[in-house]
């Protein structure tokens, strides 16, 4: 399958995300024992990394239940098949660590208001412990957004996750009124204030602990009616009382992932509306790739690829709903993603929270064998008061490595100060390293010696084995002929 003209609009900063669902194990896990779950997760993350994903939204609070050992709520049954049973390890810790090894951000996806069907053990347990917070509509149970203690409870959940895990973000789902909520009672503006109050409490809980942790949510894909295009009555502001654009304006959200599971003029003008009212924050268009499945819809790959091009051209990121539909390669979406996002991308920096860049590394050494360049660096200084720095690696066949060129990115968000990079024996490659703080601010680069070619050693030196965080693509990949690249792709 050929994909043309895809690198023209490659971005250095762009969120490329995926929702990884755990409810019912529909994305993960398929097995009910730890070893199989770990193996399955690492395989999925390897595939997502090759597809260009840099942000994983892992469903952490499922329905009044969790995938980590919480002091507040029980384990979800997706892990063992039985509500409340301990899986014998900490799945969230494992997933955070594995994402970070691959240079990916890991955001804890928190389902807020829904708490499960009324015949489920998780709902019954929650209602028994917190009857005043529980509302039932038909066969579905919800937390009551009009009870002030709901915001306190959810803020405690988010604080627990933020405090205990080295997460990069808290992602709120269903932070809204259920569409089936009775119309009588509180007025629309009062309902928006209730939801905003919950968001504000969560923001304060998270940011007090770790101000670099991103707060985001997934609002309904249309904020409201536009001048020329109607939302059809299903929008975030009027239908479910989410003032998501107001949350951006007031600094309560760092990112939005609108669920834009539409085509044509139900997508494009509304995507522009989100971006035009982003207030300098990050908008990531949620893509309904599940409609590519014959069981779900009649979408073509062209429907999705056009939306991805449009999003990139207008400064939006993209997020796939959901992981299984991407990895199952419905209508070639995984193949397309690998080409569309074949150059890595950094996450847009949170300059509204902190804008002082780290001090650059002061030293970069490169030692070469016949097959590998070993990079080591040091000297970077963090100015953000966060716990550690990350590192980005750039490479080029020209001496003055351009760190503004996305195609020169080799590896991102490394947590160590060394990297082994494969190379073609005898070809001169020049490198640059930058430091990255937890807010995403990047330092100026330190470059390898640009005055003399890197001469291969006559005998190998001791080099550490490659890890999942190392680049899968050599830095000179983009200088190869099409024939060379095709041969490499077949074997990788």
């Amino acid at each position: 399958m050929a994909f043309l003209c895809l690198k023209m609009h490659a971005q250095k900063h762009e969120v490329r995300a995926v929702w990884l669902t755990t409810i019912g194990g529909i994305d993960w896990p398929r097995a009910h024992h730890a070893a199989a779950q770990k193996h399955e997760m690492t395989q999925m993350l390897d595939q997502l990394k090759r597809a260009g994903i840099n942000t994983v939204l892992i469903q952490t609070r499922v329905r009044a239940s969790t995938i980590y050992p919480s002091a507040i709520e029980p384990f979800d049954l997706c892990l063992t098949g039985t509500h409340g049973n301990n899986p014998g390890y900490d799945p969230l810790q494992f997933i955070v660590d594995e994402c970070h090894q691959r240079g990916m951000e890991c955001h804890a996806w928190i389902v807020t208001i829904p708490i499960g069907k009324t015949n489920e053990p998780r709902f019954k347990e929650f209602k028994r412990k917190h009857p005043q917070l529980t509302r039932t509509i038909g066969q579905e149970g919800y937390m009551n957004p009009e009870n002030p203690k709901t915001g306190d409870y959810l803020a405690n959940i988010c604080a627990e996750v933020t405090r205990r895990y080295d997460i990069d973000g808290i992602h709120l789902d269903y932070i809204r009124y259920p569409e089936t909520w009775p119309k009588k009672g509180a007025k629309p503006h009062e309902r928006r204030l209730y939801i905003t109050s919950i968001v504000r409490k969560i923001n304060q809980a998270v940011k007090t602990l770790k101000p670099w942790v991103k707060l985001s949510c997934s609002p309904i894909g249309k904020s409201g009616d536009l001048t020329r295009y109607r939302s059809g009555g299903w929008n975030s502001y009027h239908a479910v009382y989410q003032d998501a654009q107001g949350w951006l304006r007031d600094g309560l959200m760092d990112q939005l992932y609108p669920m834009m599971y539409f085509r044509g003029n139900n997508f494009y003008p509304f995507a522009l509306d989100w971006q035009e009212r982003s207030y300098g924050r990050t908008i990531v268009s949620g893509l309904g790739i599940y409609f590519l499945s014959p069981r779900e819809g009649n979408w073509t790959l062209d429907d999705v690829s056009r939306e991805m091009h449009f999003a990139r051209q207008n400064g939006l990121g993209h997020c796939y709903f959901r992981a299984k539909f991407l990895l199952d390669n419905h209508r070639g979406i995984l193949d397309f993603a690998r080409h569309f996002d074949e150059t890595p991308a950094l996450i847009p920096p949170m300059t509204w929270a902190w804008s002082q860049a780290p001090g650059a590394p002061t030293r970069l050494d490169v030692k070469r064998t016949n097959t590998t360049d070993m990079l080591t660096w040091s000297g970077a200084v963090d100015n953000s008061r966060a716990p550690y720095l990350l590192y980005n690696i750039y490479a080029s066949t020209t001496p003055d490595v351009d760190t503004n060129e996305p195609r020169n990115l080799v590896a991102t968000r490394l947590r160590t100060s060394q990297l082994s990079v494969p190379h073609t024996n005898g070809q001169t490659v020049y490198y640059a390293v930058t430091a990255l703080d937890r807010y995403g601010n990047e330092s100026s680069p330190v470059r390898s010696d640009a005055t003399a070619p890197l001469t291969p050693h006559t005998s190998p030196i001791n080099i550490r084995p490659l890890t999942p965080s190392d680049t899968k693509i050599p830095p000179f990949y983009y200088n190869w002929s099409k024939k060379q690249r095709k041969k490499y792709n077949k074997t990788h």
Side-chain angles (χ1 to χ4, degrees), residues 55 60 63 94 170 178 184 193 244 273 356 358 422 425 445:
T55 303
T60 299
R63 295 290 191 278
F94 179 79
I170 291 286
K184 63 180 181 180
L193 289 175
D273 177 60
Q356 184 179 357
N425 189 23

Side-chain angles (χ1 to χ4, degrees), residues 5 55 82 109 148 171 203 209-210 235 276 305 317 320 329 350 354-355 369 392 404 446 465 472:
C5 302
T55 303
T82 303
W109 164 9
H171 178 70
N203 176 284
L209 292 168
K210 297 177 181 177
N235 61 63
E276 289 170 356
S305 64
Y320 303 104
N329 200 23
M350 298 167 59
W354 184 263
S355 60
T369 69
N392 303 317
N404 292 316
V446 58
K472 302 292 185 182

Side-chain angles (χ1 to χ4, degrees), residues 75 84 87 90 101 103 124 140 155 199 212 220 245 317 322 340 361 399-400 405-406 408 413 428 440 452 456 486:
F75 273 111
D90 186 336
Q101 285 187 45
K124 294 177 180 178
E140 299 291 336
V199 172
W212 58 87
I220 299 299
Q245 292 173 338
R322 51 188 172 76
F340 189 75
D400 190 16
E405 171 53 65
N408 287 340
R413 299 177 55 79
T428 301
K486 185 176 181 181

Side-chain angles (χ1 to χ4, degrees), residues 79-91:
L79 298 167
T80 63
T82 303
H83 171 75
N85 274 14
N86 192 318
Y89 76 112
D90 186 336

Side-chain angles (χ1 to χ4, degrees), residues 65-293:
S65 54
T66 70
I67 65 163
Y68 69 95
S70 169
I72 303 172
E73 293 186 331
F75 273 111
D76 189 74
L77 58 84
C78 72
L79 298 167
T80 63
T82 303
H83 171 75
N85 274 14
N86 192 318
Y89 76 112
D90 186 336
L92 182 57
Q93 185 65 63
F94 179 79
I95 295 167
V96 169
D97 290 343
E98 291 296 314
C99 284
H100 287 172
Q101 285 187 45
R102 291 161 177 78
M104 301 159 132
E105 287 200 350
C106 185
H107 295 211
W109 164 9
I110 306 294
V111 176
T112 56
I113 300 300
I115 51 176
K117 294 187 179 298
T118 56
N119 63 349
E120 293 177 332
R122 51 193 170 190
F123 170 82
K124 294 177 180 178
E125 179 173 345
F126 185 91
K127 184 177 181 180
R128 177 174 55 81
K129 291 180 178 179
H130 311 284
Q132 74 281 9
L133 298 184
T134 306
R135 288 289 299 270
T136 300
I137 303 175
Q139 300 301 310
E140 299 291 336
Y142 301 95
M143 297 189 73
N144 182 359
E146 298 175 6
N147 188 324
K149 292 184 179 180
T150 289
D152 298 332
Y153 185 95
L154 291 171
N156 286 337
I157 289 281
C158 294
E160 180 181 58
V161 173
T162 303
R163 184 183 300 108
R164 290 175 51 182
Y165 299 93
D166 187 22
I167 56 167
D168 302 286
I170 291 286
H171 178 70
L172 306 179
D173 192 14
Y174 285 99
I175 187 67
R176 55 184 170 91
Y177 272 76
E179 53 269 34
T180 54
W181 197 269
K183 297 298 182 184
K184 63 180 181 180
K187 297 178 180 180
H189 76 277
E190 294 173 330
R191 295 186 178 194
R192 281 186 286 273
L193 289 175
Y194 285 131
I195 298 298
T196 296
S197 175
I198 297 172
V199 172
R200 191 179 303 277
K201 288 180 178 181
I202 293 173
N203 176 284
Q204 291 172 347
V206 170
K207 298 296 185 177
T208 298
L209 292 168
K210 297 177 181 177
W212 58 87
V213 170
K214 300 173 181 68
L215 188 62
S216 69
C217 72
S218 50
I220 299 299
K222 301 174 183 179
S223 179
D225 292 336
L226 307 180
T227 302
R228 295 180 57 194
Y229 297 94
R230 311 289 291 179
S231 63
W234 181 237
N235 61 63
S236 63
Y237 190 82
H238 296 286
V240 293
Y241 313 107
Q242 295 173 305
D243 187 12
Q245 292 173 338
W247 301 338
L248 295 175
R249 180 195 62 230
D250 296 341
L252 298 179
M253 288 283 170
D254 302 298
Q255 300 175 327
L256 291 185
Y257 293 71
M259 299 182 292
M260 306 195 66
Y261 309 153
F262 316 109
R263 292 185 291 183
N265 285 335
N266 282 312
F267 178 91
Y268 301 111
F270 294 95
L272 286 178
D273 177 60
W274 286 113
Q275 184 66 343
E276 289 170 356
R277 300 173 187 268
S278 66
Y279 298 93
R281 272 47 172 183
T282 304
I283 305 295
V284 186
S285 52
L287 304 174
I289 63 168
Y290 62 96
F291 283 120
L292 294 171
S293 169

